[in-house]
Amino acid sequence: MSDRSYTLCITICITTLINPKMSRIPSAMSENIIEVKNLEYSYNGFRAVDDVSFFVREGEIFSFLGPNGAGKSTVINILTTLLPLQKGRVRIAGCDRATEPEQVRRSIGIVFQDETLDRDLTVWETLELHGRLYSMPKVERRQRIEEMIELVELEDKRDARTRNLSGGMKRRLEIGRGLMTRPKVLFLDEPTIGLDTQTRRRLWDYIKLVNESGTTIFLTTHYMDEADLVSNWIDILDHGKIIASGVPSELKNALGRDMVYIETSNNAAATETLKSLESVRDVKAASQGLVVTINVDGTHLLPQIMNMLKDRGIEILSVNLKKPTLDDVFVHYTGRDIRNAGAEKLRRIQPRSGH
Amino acid sequence: MSYEFVTIYWRDMLRFVRFRIVLVASLIQPALWMALYGAAMSSNFSRLSSSIPVPKDAISISYLTFMGAGVIALTTLFTSLFGGITLLFDKNWGLMREFLASPMPRSNIIIGIGLSGVTKSFIQVMVIMGFGLIIGVRFFPNYTLVQTAGAILGILLFVGIFSIGFLFLSSAISMSMETPEGLQAVITLLTLPLFFASNALYPIDAFPYPVKILSMFNPLTHLVSGIRYFAIGNDFFAIGTHYAYTTGDVLLSFSALMVFAIVMFAVAWWVVKKAVIT
């Protein structure tokens, strides 16, 4: 019987892939390319950014994660000199944002959240315009245009007006444009918003490629899974404050819990037994079985749990071990789901309907 | 000193060449003015003023020739006032962010737009003058070739300064506006008083005093005076009025336009400097 229960019933699936390489680049090897201290920003009395401090190491992919309206774009706009610096200190690539804004602009590339293309210029002209705006010498400019067109695979669209490009192509063009001047940092504000899954995946491939060639990436997104997959470091922003930061895997492990979904022949008895365990944080009834939140590494606790239940004569029908995702991290720190956080904010400001 | 305004100029001219329909449309209106309004009023005015004796040494000119200068000036006014609308569209379509986030000093945006607008005005003025000469506007009476060339350069100088002044104003308005409708409303509001309180289509001598004062501060009046001085001469007679321009008058008009352009540059620079687009 015991053999049967093992062979028949155990299906452990880990939903989140953990990349062992994913860690912050050691400080001895790299400098802080962005340093932000006590940044504050208010729009007509509303504090959109509240005492935010962080740093970005050279060569990493740094993500700013948070729901819509958390203040991500405001921070990016201050860093890229589009919004004035009201309070706080910002250094980018060794330049002071307050005193050398033009130097800062020269050392960064930006892909804005919304489209910033002249719809009536061609792909080539768009890049030519950019190179000229950044005073690139003609020979270098023309050479870089060709390189960028090749990088973002728009060779056959060179003379197409940007209005005729697909959403993904426009994004790629904007990324190529942002990279034309070989910036030290590339800012990407919600780069994949509104794109289909396939286009998104390709876009991330480009971004990783760019990062591997040495460009530091500063990213904002509200897609948890994407941030999780590409980032070396994540700062979670909510209501203008950084509420958590860390390497993605650490962030998730810091919750100190795994989630086990378990189906048994006697759920009530199983609940009793599991609740008596010190490492079990909570047991909740789910549709068919139980969701057990545990405080320790589930890969080690799970065999123990299963043996214990077996000893009590409770048959296990199925088991599923799930690693917490960044969504769970966000819920943990804010008590809200990131996908609903923006909507919830909207709902709050809408007037109550009359009776 | 930075030269990125050349880039802004290049991009704006690229669009201009790409959308030739804009140029064609902007030429039809002044042509209609001259062909319809000019022809109709010309016969009326000649009948009304035929009894007034022409002063000695003054050349009597037709109303069509008189208003030809006005139509050139009005066309330049309209085109220049709307010239900055590109900036509003760039703001709404997002390209402005690309400009503002670049290391280029912001003054280059308005200088580039100003210069491309002036180029467009020059093209218009040359075409309108050509059309006018065909339908009977008598510009450059008894001028030698060199005198004609000099007169054309003089006209272009006045048109250029006037045009760039209004392009700066237009840029300033465009940068402060949210919608094209708002821009349209403000510009329409500006156009009519500028148009009527000027000497473009009739002499200002008979204006009521307040309107006369107003017209003297109107850049359009100074532009029209400049064009007439160069195109018709310093001593002529039209619609019952004797016009005699001295060198001093012309220099005054020139200075007035210069002051206007400089002030407008300052206003536009201030607006574009503190513009925040996110």
Side-chain angles (χ1 to χ4, degrees), chain A residues 252-259 281 293-296 324 328 332:
Chain A
K252 289 177 291 182
N253 287 342
L255 291 184
R257 56 178 196 185
D258 275 347
M259 290 167 173
R281 194 180 174 133
T293 358
I294 52 184
N295 287 328
V296 294
D328 301 315
H332 175 77

Side-chain angles (χ1 to χ4, degrees), chain A residues 88-150:
Chain A
R89 284 189 42 215
V90 176
R91 287 187 73 81
I92 296 173
C95 307
D96 193 317
R97 156 71 183 79
T99 55
E100 310 158 276
E102 287 190 14
Q103 239 2 76
V104 168
R105 285 181 215 171
R106 281 199 189 279
S107 45
I108 60 174
I110 316 169
V111 176
F112 297 98
Q113 183 170 341
D114 303 311
E115 190 186 311
T116 53
L117 297 170
D118 184 332
R119 295 147 52 92
D120 298 309
L121 294 189
T122 66
V123 166
W124 188 88
E125 287 162 351
T126 302
L127 296 173
E128 169 76 4
L129 176 68
H130 188 78
R132 282 178 171 215
L133 285 176
Y134 283 73
S135 346
M136 291 174 84
K138 188 171 176 178
V139 177
E140 186 195 346
R141 187 172 74 220
R142 296 284 156 91
Q143 192 190 328
R144 289 292 287 166
I145 290 175
E146 296 314 313
E147 282 174 38
M148 288 305 115
I149 288 180
E150 199 181 324

Side-chain angles (χ1 to χ4, degrees), chain B residues 100-113:
Chain B
L100 296 186
S102 78
M104 162 186 74
R106 291 185 174 187
S107 55
N108 283 250
I109 298 175
I110 49 171
I111 296 173
I113 290 293

Side-chain angles (χ1 to χ4, degrees), chain A residues 20 30 48 62-63 100-101 103 135 137 152 155 181 184 191 198 221 234 240 244 261 275 282 300 326 333 352:
Chain A
S30 50
F62 176 97
S63 288
E100 310 158 276
Q103 239 2 76
S135 346
V152 298
E155 289 98 334
T181 53
K184 294 193 174 115
Q198 232 171 344
T221 182
I234 291 178
Y261 176 80
K275 273 195 171 159
D282 197 17
H300 292 116
L326 281 177
Y333 283 107
R352 202 181 280 263

Side-chain angles (χ1 to χ4, degrees), chain B residues 215-230:
Chain B
S215 70
M216 282 171 174
F217 285 96
N218 186 348
L220 193 63
T221 303
H222 293 293
L223 173 64
V224 174
S225 299
I227 296 173
R228 290 205 178 118
Y229 172 80
F230 286 112

